[in-house]
Structure formats: structure tokens, C-alpha cells
Amino acid sequence: IQRLRGHGLGVIIDGVTLEFLPYARVDKLAHDYMKIMLPRGTVQLLESGSRIRAVRKLPLERVILSQCDHESAIRIGSALGIRLYQGWHLDQYHGTPDS
């Protein structure tokens, strides 16, 4: 990881699920960003419980909510203080880099 950073590259942990997050010790992993998948069927997992507590423990400025294919993902992410998103919903309403 230090070699990558020496070349100006960052490290992103990709593919993190809400089901996995309460059990992961992500503070032990050297990373610059973490992408948490939030497809339509999983938004309700952030409403309470161990998953929301696990998200709140993260440095939210380094969290990217991915697979955001619905407005509720943006709404709940914003309520949590997350500002980085990736997904079809954003591409549809805000355009892709190619458009």
C-alpha cells in the first residue's frame, strides 16, 4: 500500500456489504476510501441496528455509497453525512462523464 501511495495512487476497498460491515474491523485496513454497496433492496438495513452503528463509526468523508440506483440511497446517505456516491441514479439525473 505504501508503494502504491508513493506512486500517487490511492486504495479503495470495494464491494463492502451492509451485512458484512458490523463484523469487519475496517479500522485495521489501510485504505483511502471504502465503497459500501447500497442497492435498492438494502436501504432498510440502514434504518437501525448494528449496521447503522457500524456505518456511523466510519470516517464518513471516506465512504462512497455505491450501486445507488434509487433516490432513497442519496437521501439516507445525506442524512448520515455521506457526500460521495456512485450509481445509476446519479448517472440518470446528472449525466455521465461522456454526456
Side-chain angles (χ1 to χ4, degrees):
I1 289 175
Q2 291 305 327
R3 185 177 294 162
L4 290 171
R5 288 186 175 145
H7 291 290
L9 300 172
V11 176
I12 297 176
I13 300 173
D14 195 359
V16 176
T17 64
L18 290 174
E19 293 86 355
F20 169 75
L21 199 54
Y23 305 102
R25 296 181 64 191
V26 294
D27 58 325
K28 303 296 182 191
L29 303 171
H31 64 282
D32 298 303
Y33 292 93
M34 176 183 300
K35 288 172 66 173
I36 300 173
M37 297 186 301
L38 194 62
R40 187 178 307 271
T42 62
V43 172
Q44 73 278 4
L45 297 176
L46 279 177
E47 293 175 358
S48 64
S50 62
R51 293 168 186 102
I52 190 72
R53 286 191 298 274
V55 169
R56 286 188 173 138
K57 289 180 183 178
L58 298 172
L60 297 177
E61 69 278 0
R62 297 179 356 180
V63 169
I64 302 168
L65 289 183
S66 68
Q67 297 185 3
C68 296
D69 59 354
H70 48 94
E71 191 172 329
S72 57
I74 310 301
R75 206 170 30 248
I76 196 162
S78 294
L80 289 169
I82 296 171
R83 300 289 176 241
L84 300 172
Y85 303 90
Q86 178 185 30
W88 301 296
H89 177 74
L90 299 173
D91 292 345
Q92 179 182 0
Y93 289 99
H94 302 292
T96 62
D98 296 333
S99 63

